[in-house]
Amino acid sequence: MDMLLTGAGVIALLLGVLALGSWVFSGLVIVAMLSLWGLGDFDAQRIGLILSKILFRAANSWELSAIPLFILMGELIFRSDISERLFRGLTPLTRHLPGGILHTNVLGCTLFAAVSGSSAATTATVGKITTQELANRHYDRNLSIGSLAGAGSLGLLIPPSIVMIVYGVQAEVSISKLFMAGVLPGLLIAVLYIGYVAMRSLIDPSVAPRDDGDATGIGRALLNLAPVLGLIVIVLGAIYSGIATPSEAAAVGCAATLVLLLWERQLTLSLFIDALRGALISSVMVCSLLIAAALLSTAMGYLHLPRDLASWIADQAFSPVALLLAMALFYVVLGLFLDGISITVMSLPITLPIIVQAGYDPLWFGVFLVIMVELGQITPPVGFNLFVLQGLTGESIGRVALAAAPFFVLMCIAALLICLWPSIALWLPTVLSGRA
Amino acid sequence: MAASESPGDAATGGNLNPVVALLSRLSSALAALGAGVAMLLVVYMLGHILFEIGLRLFGRSTFILDEYIGYSVAAMTFLGMPYALVKGGLIRVSLVLERLPQGWRWPLELFASMSALLAFGWLARYWTLAVERSYARGIISETMARTPLWIPQCAVLLGLYLLCFTLAVRALQILAQRQIFKPGGQ
C-alpha cells in the first residue's frame, strides 16, 4: 500500500508541477529531487551528488547523436523543394484511383516518414504543398485535413523515428530492431487510410472531384520521386543491411541530402545555418527530456517504485490483456495533454517493468507505445499534428480534430490488430536480425 | 516542428529597468554564443561520423568515435539549452497558463523560472565539485584517447551555468515587467 501511496504522490507532484507551467524537462528534475527528499528521506547534499552525476552520464551518449543528425536531415529536406517534387510525383500515380490525389497525403507522408524522424515535421513538409493544392481542386476539406493529420503521425512509426530512438535508449532495446519493427505496422496504417479514403470517395464521389489537369507520365512522376526514394534507400538500406548504426545512417542521410541540395543548386549557407538552428532547438528539447527522465528514473529506482509496482501487479494476477487495455487508456489520456516524447520519457520508468513482468516483448511494446503516442498527436487539446495543421490551414483546432477523428479510429483498429497479431511488428526484425 | 523561430524574444520586451535590460541583452548574447558552439558540435559530429565511415573502407579507425561523439552530445545539449529556452523551443504544458487572464500569468512564469533555477542551480553546484575533483585528481577516460575528463565535464558545467544565468535573468524580467511579460518564442 505504501508503494501505491508513493506512486500516487509522485504522479500528483508531476501533474501539479507541469500544470503550473513548468517546462517538462525542469518539471521532471524538480519531481526527481522532491520525491527523493520527501518520499525517500534523502538529504539535499546526497540528492545533488547523485543526480548531478546521472545528468552527465545520461547526456554522454553516442547513441543520442542520431537525434540531432536525423532532425538536421529533416530540416534540410523541409527547406528544399523535395515536398513539391513528392506532390508532383505522386499526383499522376494517384489521379485515377478512387479518392484521386487525396492519396498524395497518405502516400506522401508514408514516403516522407521514411526519411524523417518526427510526425510534426512530416505533417508540415507534406502539408505545406498538399493542403493548398487539394483546396484549389475542391477536394473534401475534412478528408484532406484528416488524412494529413493521421498520416503525418506515421513519421513516428515508420523509421527513422525520434521517439523510437528515445524508447530504445530508455528501454535498452536495439534501435535498429525497433526501426525494423515499425515498418509493417506503419504500412498497415497507411493501407487502412488509403482504403478509407477510397471507400469514402466511392460512396460519395463529390469528396474527390475527378482531376484531368495534370497529364504527367509515369516516367516523369518517378523522376520526381527519385530524390526521396534515393534517400530512403540510403538511410534504411544502411540500417537494415547491418552496415551502419542509426547514428551512422543519420550522418550518411545528412550527407546525401546535402549532396542532393548542392546538385539541385538549392544549398546556401543561410539555408544550412537555418536548418542547423532548427535542428539544434529540437534536438536540445528531445535530449534534455531524455536526460531529465534519466534523473526521474534514477529517483524512482531509489524509491524502489518500478520494482515494487511490477511485483504488486504480478501479485494481483491481472490478465495481460486487461493490463494492456489499461495501459492503452492511460496513454490515450496522457496524449490528450502531453506530447509524445514527454509521455514516453515520463511513463517508461513505471510502465516498462510492468509490461515486461506481464510477459510482453519490449520490442513489440515499443511499437505499441509509438502508436499510442501517435494517437496523442491527433487528439485535442494538445496534439502536435493538430497544431501544425491549424497553422497550415487556418482552421480551428476543433475542426481539425473532428476531421482527424475517423483516422484516430482507424489507428485504434491498427493497434488492435497489432495486439492480436504481434508478428505484424516482430516478423521483420526476426527475419532481418540474422543479418543486422 | 523544429523551425520555431519567433520575433517575440523576451529580451526585447517593454520598458525595462536599464540594469535588467542590460542583463537581458547579455543573457541573449550568451545564449546565442552557446547555441553557436552547439551548432558547431553538430557539424563536428556529422563530420567525424562520416570520416570514420570513410576510414572504415580502408580498414582503419580513429578509435575515439563513440567517446568524442558522446561528449559532443552532452556539450551540445547543455550549451544549446539556454538558446532553446529563450526561443521557446522547450516543451511545457501551457494548457492552464493560456487560459489564465494576462495579469495572473506572471506568478506562474516566475514559479517556472525560479523552480528550474533552484533545481539546476543545485545540480550545477554539485557538478562543480565533481569537475573540480576530476581536475585535481587528473582523472582520465578509460579509453585509448585517455581524455582528461574535466574537459567534457566542464563544457556541461558551462552549459549549466549559462542555463542558470538565463533562468535568473528571465526571473528578473518577469519581476520587472509582470503583466506585460511575454515569454520568448510564443
Side-chain angles (χ1 to χ4, degrees):
Chain A
M1 198 57 208
D2 266 1
M3 170 269 309
L4 285 182
L5 274 178
T6 310
V10 172
I11 291 171
L13 201 60
L14 192 57
L15 292 181
V17 170
L18 293 184
L20 285 175
S22 259
W23 295 278
V24 178
F25 84 102
S26 60
L28 295 178
V29 174
I30 291 164
V31 172
M33 289 174 143
L34 287 181
S35 18
L36 279 179
W37 179 69
L39 302 167
D41 286 332
F42 281 50
D43 63 51
Q45 187 185 3
R46 196 166 160 217
I47 294 172
L49 282 170
I50 294 172
L51 294 187
S52 64
K53 287 198 177 69
I54 301 293
L55 198 73
F56 184 72
R57 202 180 302 156
N60 181 9
S61 155
W62 137 257
E63 278 181 316
L64 291 189
S65 60
I67 292 173
L69 297 179
F70 272 129
I71 296 179
L72 177 61
M73 183 178 163
E75 289 279 337
L76 287 168
I77 295 175
F78 177 73
R79 287 169 171 76
S80 73
D81 71 348
I82 287 180
S83 49
E84 283 161 64
R85 278 168 168 264
L86 207 58
F87 182 77
R88 285 206 304 270
L90 287 173
T91 304
L93 299 179
T94 56
R95 210 148 38 97
H96 302 295
L97 299 175
I101 63 167
L102 263 175
H103 295 298
T104 53
N105 268 343
V106 180
L107 290 173
C109 286
T110 308
L111 286 176
F112 189 75
V115 289
S116 157
S118 111
S119 99
T122 305
T123 313
T125 311
V126 174
K128 76 176 177 182
I129 307 295
T130 60
T131 44
Q132 197 53 49
E133 293 283 347
L134 290 169
N136 290 347
R137 295 167 200 220
H138 308 294
Y139 275 77
D140 182 72
R141 190 85 171 140
N142 279 338
L143 261 186
S144 156
I145 294 175
S147 59
L148 183 58
S153 66
L154 289 176
L156 300 180
L157 192 57
I158 295 180
S161 158
I162 301 297
V163 177
M164 280 187 176
I165 299 175
V166 168
Y167 177 83
V169 168
Q170 265 199 307
E172 296 178 2
V173 173
S174 153
I175 295 168
S176 297
K177 281 190 181 173
L178 279 166
F179 278 7
M180 294 168 195
V183 178
L184 289 182
L187 293 178
L188 170 71
I189 292 174
V191 167
L192 286 175
Y193 286 175
I194 288 171
Y196 174 74
V197 169
M199 194 188 72
R200 281 286 308 274
S201 81
L202 285 174
I203 294 170
D204 176 9
S206 72
V207 297
R210 196 170 161 74
D211 173 40
D212 295 316
D214 192 350
T216 318
I218 301 286
R220 182 101 192 173
L222 290 176
L223 205 66
N224 274 317
L225 292 178
V228 80
L229 293 176
L231 288 176
I232 293 173
V233 169
I234 289 173
V235 173
L236 296 188
I239 299 176
Y240 291 174
S241 61
I243 56 171
T245 61
S247 297
E248 288 165 346
V252 171
C254 266
T257 311
L258 285 170
V259 169
L260 186 73
L261 293 183
L262 209 60
W263 175 263
E264 303 272 343
R265 295 169 191 272
Q266 290 176 37
L267 187 64
T268 59
L269 187 63
S270 70
L271 181 142
F272 183 65
I273 292 176
D274 272 356
L276 208 52
R277 192 181 294 130
L280 177 72
I281 292 177
S282 298
S283 313
V284 166
M285 184 270 283
V286 177
C287 293
S288 65
L289 280 178
L290 256 176
I291 295 164
L295 264 58
L296 183 65
S297 179
T298 306
M300 297 299 98
Y302 275 109
L303 299 177
H304 305 299
L305 202 55
R307 197 190 62 196
D308 292 353
L309 203 59
S311 63
W312 180 79
I313 298 260
D315 290 345
Q316 306 303 308
F318 293 123
S319 84
V321 176
L323 204 62
L324 201 64
L325 216 62
M327 203 131 315
L329 193 68
F330 168 73
Y331 278 115
V332 170
V333 171
L334 275 188
L336 297 177
F337 306 102
L338 284 164
D339 73 286
I341 292 168
S342 304
I343 292 173
T344 309
V345 299
M346 275 165 34
S347 66
L348 269 187
I350 303 293
T351 54
L352 190 69
I354 296 176
I355 216 77
V356 172
Q357 172 83 42
Y360 288 101
D361 184 338
L363 180 63
W364 175 85
F365 184 65
V367 174
F368 178 78
L369 176 69
V370 171
I371 298 178
M372 293 300 115
V373 161
E374 284 190 339
L375 288 172
Q377 300 279 326
I378 52 173
T379 47
V382 179
F384 271 46
N385 277 14
L386 302 180
F387 294 155
V388 172
L389 272 162
Q390 189 187 21
L392 281 173
T393 61
E395 301 283 358
S396 72
I397 198 90
R399 166 90 197 269
V400 177
L402 211 59
F407 296 88
F408 177 89
V409 175
L410 288 172
M411 209 184 283
C412 290
I413 293 172
L416 186 68
L417 292 176
I418 288 157
C419 292
L420 292 174
W421 292 287
S423 55
I424 298 173
L426 297 175
W427 177 75
L428 200 60
T430 314
V431 170
L432 289 179
S433 59
R435 290 190 289 131
Chain B
M1 249 299 291
S4 53
E5 294 297 306
S6 161
D9 197 338
T12 57
N15 294 324
L16 274 178
N17 171 306
V19 180
V20 180
L22 185 71
L23 283 172
S24 297
R25 274 204 296 278
L26 182 64
S27 146
S28 291
L30 286 174
L33 183 69
V37 177
M39 279 155 67
L40 286 176
L41 284 168
V42 177
V43 176
Y44 157 73
M45 286 186 236
L46 177 62
H48 192 154
I49 295 176
L50 290 174
F51 182 60
E52 186 76 29
I53 293 171
L55 282 183
R56 202 184 295 159
L57 297 176
F58 302 98
R60 302 178 66 173
S61 170
T62 60
F63 298 109
I64 55 166
L65 182 74
D66 297 17
E67 182 186 357
Y68 277 74
I69 296 291
Y71 297 152
S72 305
V73 171
M76 174 208 78
T77 307
F78 284 95
L79 290 171
M81 235 189 251
Y83 185 74
L85 185 97
V86 168
K87 293 292 177 190
L90 297 176
I91 290 183
R92 62 200 298 199
V93 183
S94 42
L95 217 59
V96 178
L97 219 56
E98 278 169 4
R99 277 160 184 70
L100 284 178
Q102 189 72 32
W104 289 46
R105 283 188 208 172
W106 71 268
L108 289 187
E109 290 285 358
L110 188 66
F111 164 78
S113 292
M114 289 304 293
S115 56
L117 176 61
L118 277 174
F120 283 93
W122 195 250
L123 291 174
R125 185 182 158 196
Y126 284 94
W127 190 239
T128 309
L129 298 177
V131 178
E132 279 173 0
R133 200 166 40 243
S134 287
Y135 182 74
R137 296 185 188 169
I139 300 176
I140 54 169
S141 66
E142 293 166 7
T143 57
M144 277 182 68
R146 299 170 64 80
T147 314
L149 273 183
W150 66 269
I151 299 173
Q153 290 177 339
C154 220
V156 167
L157 188 62
L158 272 178
L160 274 175
Y161 285 158
L162 215 56
L163 179 67
C164 290
F165 181 67
T166 309
L167 286 165
V169 172
R170 193 175 186 278
L172 282 177
Q173 282 171 348
I174 297 168
L175 282 173
Q177 295 181 309
R178 299 192 186 180
Q179 275 93 332
I180 56 165
F181 175 77
K182 281 194 175 58
Q186 290 180 5

